Amino acid sequence: MSQQLAEINIQRLMGTIEESAEIGKLPNGGICRLTLTDEDKVMRDLFYQWLLDAGLEIRIDDFGNMYGRREGERDELAPVLIGSHLDTQPNGGKFDGILGVLGALEVIRTLNDLELKTMRPIEIVNFTNEEGARFEPAMLGSGAMTNVFSKQAVLNKTDQQGKVFGSELRRIGYEGTEENRAKDIFSFLELHIEQGPILEDSHKAIGIVSGIQGMNWIEVTVKGETAHTGTRPMVNRKDAILHAAKLITRIYSLAAEYPDLLISVGRINAYPNVINSVSSEAKFSIDIRHPNNKTRKRFTNQLRETLSMMTLVENMEIQITDIADVETEHFTDSIIDVIQTAVEKYGYSYLNMQSGAAHDAKYLNKVAPTGMIFIPSINGVSHCEEELSEAVDIERGVQVLLHSVITLANKENLI
Ligand code: GLV
Ligand code: MN
Ligand code: MN
């Protein structure tokens, strides 16, 4: 069977995506499937069964990353790894990450239907905690597997309720072993929705991703003094929420001075968080992204200086905690070429672009030649229930993934 004729089954894939969307289903078509929750376990159990049905050999590593291996004709060779994540944001969509895992499964199912053997083994992966919505920072499973994070640091992470990553992993029955981690990876490919408006606005079917922009995650804790709201005079108050509000406003105006910089305070918590007590503490997060590492660092330094200056002048008390500092990553040219050849073979329109969002591919790029394929997101929205990609675009993306996988899994080496 020639590889030009290999065609995925889009109805089957859309059905599989819909089955996944039932687990943690929200009222408006989205999903809440936070990592290592009961919903994540139900999804993992179903995915495990799908891997078994596809005849794959299954492994779980010590961070709960799940792998399904399809044997190669020369099975001793390094595998081609494909996949993404099945966890979601609290108000997530049904495609972010999920397309990359279930699209990879569709690739395997298609190869099985066609009885198409490859020289190298192919492994599918579902990475744990890509979103960072429950345990911070994001991409913990892929970062741990690639030794960016130490094992103990990851297993000891706690969520906002104080639940521990390692215990939660054991509780849902997905604590595997260190020797099951993917190693000697020949190449890694991740298919993903774009999550932004660029492909749709430029009427292109496929994004060939050149790399991923860097980011910082910071948490600011503002200390105040609690008091009765009806008795403490305004002049004597140390109101943590008021101080946080001033700092946040200043941060956004500082960011506006940097072209292409993206910044967001996405989370804020106040204590004691009641209507008739002056707040004693406020904690807020800052997410900072920029394609250029130098500019991102210049901004974060200026941000720190500005915050300390304000706390001095206005007599505030704050503490700054770094949660993540991730460099801009550039993908491997030879993998970009393989993807481009696949796209051109099908005659799809495409754009070479950088990823605004972070992905597991970011850390995989440190240990193996890596590339990503994007498809359009309708209205450019993601991390929300309205997230949508059309079946026709999904089909194109998975075709490109299939073609690229066949090419890579039959390559002796990458030049
Ligand atoms: C991952 O979803 C990110 O934060 O970019
Ligand atoms: Mn994702
Ligand atoms: Mn995401």
Side-chain angles (χ1 to χ4, degrees):
M1 175 74 57
S2 93
Q3 64 186 51
Q4 288 93 317
L5 294 179
E7 270 184 23
I8 65 142
N9 181 336
I10 186 62
Q11 284 76 25
R12 175 172 60 191
L13 174 56
M14 295 312 287
T16 307
I17 290 173
E18 287 311 321
E19 269 191 76
S20 141
E22 290 297 315
I23 304 169
K25 187 177 183 160
L26 295 171
N28 299 310
I31 308 180
C32 176
R33 198 159 65 212
L34 295 178
T35 202
L36 308 187
T37 56
D38 292 348
E39 289 77 23
D40 187 19
K41 178 189 164 40
V42 174
M43 182 67 244
R44 283 167 179 265
D45 290 349
L46 180 59
F47 181 58
Y48 195 103
Q49 188 57 47
W50 286 336
L51 295 178
L52 275 184
D53 294 345
L56 304 186
E57 184 191 311
I58 302 172
R59 307 192 311 275
I60 316 290
D61 75 15
D62 44 343
F63 307 110
N65 297 318
M66 301 174 69
Y67 309 88
R69 180 183 172 97
R70 185 175 191 264
E71 155 178 294
E73 281 176 325
R74 289 168 58 191
D75 208 41
E76 72 288 358
L77 293 181
V80 172
L81 187 66
I82 48 176
S84 190
H85 60 96
L86 291 170
D87 67 323
T88 75
Q89 292 277 320
N91 278 292
K94 55 186 169 198
F95 301 99
D96 175 1
I98 295 159
L99 174 66
V101 180
L102 302 186
L105 180 62
E106 180 55 37
V107 165
I108 298 292
R109 287 173 170 172
T110 303
L111 293 175
N112 287 351
D113 290 349
L114 299 174
E115 296 178 14
L116 203 65
K117 290 189 188 327
T118 55
M119 182 177 81
R120 293 178 178 278
I122 300 168
E123 294 192 358
I124 306 191
V125 58
N126 165 35
F127 286 115
T128 303
N129 194 68
E130 190 276 346
E131 290 293 359
R134 183 173 180 202
F135 297 98
E136 294 168 359
M139 304 172 295
L140 271 186
S142 52
M145 191 206 85
T146 55
N147 292 313
V148 173
F149 306 120
S150 81
K151 179 166 176 167
Q152 271 326 305
V154 171
L155 296 181
N156 291 338
K157 291 276 178 199
T158 50
D159 69 7
Q160 298 281 316
Q161 276 71 48
K163 295 246 169 76
V164 182
F165 184 104
S167 321
E168 286 294 274
L169 190 57
R170 262 192 306 284
R171 184 185 70 81
I172 66 160
Y174 277 89
E175 183 191 42
T177 59
E178 192 164 328
E179 63 268 18
N180 281 344
R181 296 182 196 174
K183 32 192 158 324
D184 302 327
I185 303 160
F186 180 67
S187 55
F188 175 67
L189 287 179
E190 183 171 359
L191 169 69
H192 209 283
I193 54 167
E194 182 208 327
Q195 309 186 270
I198 299 170
L199 288 173
E200 188 180 52
D201 287 354
S202 54
H203 305 287
K204 302 292 187 204
I206 298 286
I208 302 176
V209 185
S210 56
I212 298 180
Q213 73 175 345
M215 66 178 188
N216 288 80
W217 282 9
I218 291 171
E219 183 169 71
V220 181
T221 306
V222 186
K223 293 282 181 200
E225 212 173 83
T226 194
H228 195 296
T229 49
T231 59
R232 171 73 59 95
M234 293 301 281
V235 285
N236 291 340
R237 291 187 185 187
K238 200 173 169 192
D239 186 329
I241 289 186
L242 174 63
H243 289 177
K246 287 183 178 177
L247 294 169
I248 292 169
T249 309
R250 181 73 191 103
I251 291 166
Y252 274 91
S253 53
L254 181 65
E257 294 168 22
Y258 286 73
D260 297 330
L261 189 104
L262 300 173
I263 185 167
S264 187
V265 172
R267 183 182 68 216
I268 179 158
N269 289 313
Y271 307 88
N273 213 22
V274 286
I275 200 161
N276 52 356
S277 289
V278 175
S279 63
S280 58
E281 188 178 279
K283 271 181 195 278
F284 62 90
S285 62
I286 316 173
D287 176 314
I288 303 158
R289 315 228 185 178
H290 195 280
N292 183 290
N293 283 325
K294 277 202 187 125
T295 312
R296 183 172 51 84
K297 283 185 205 308
R298 193 154 49 80
F299 172 76
T300 47
N301 288 339
Q302 199 185 345
L303 173 82
R304 284 173 213 280
E305 282 164 22
T306 306
L307 292 181
S308 349
M309 190 63 80
M310 278 183 76
T311 53
L312 267 182
V313 173
E314 304 220 18
N315 196 23
M316 300 178 184
E317 198 187 325
I318 67 162
Q319 194 185 322
I320 298 175
T321 310
D322 288 295
I323 301 171
D325 182 350
V326 181
E327 299 279 291
T328 292
E329 200 75 23
H330 302 283
F331 291 146
T332 318
D333 285 342
S334 52
I335 302 293
I336 292 173
D337 289 347
V338 166
I339 297 171
Q340 180 143 346
T341 304
V343 173
E344 284 168 354
K345 202 142 213 154
Y346 290 107
Y348 300 150
S349 59
Y350 69 92
L351 202 65
N352 294 97
M353 60 186 294
Q354 196 182 41
S355 172
H359 300 284
D360 292 307
K362 143 108 211 132
Y363 290 139
L364 268 293
N365 194 45
K366 297 196 176 304
V367 297
T370 290
M372 286 193 79
I373 302 157
F374 275 176
I375 61 157
S377 292
I378 303 300
N379 297 324
V381 297
S382 185
H383 283 188
C384 58
E385 287 198 70
E386 291 73 28
E387 182 183 279
L388 182 65
S389 288
E390 305 276 18
V392 60
D393 290 320
I394 291 175
E395 183 172 14
R396 289 179 182 139
V398 182
Q399 283 294 157
V400 171
L401 178 66
L402 171 67
H403 194 290
S404 306
V405 167
I406 294 173
T407 304
L408 287 167
N410 288 303
K411 260 188 188 300
E412 197 73 49
N413 44 46
L414 282 169
I415 320 153

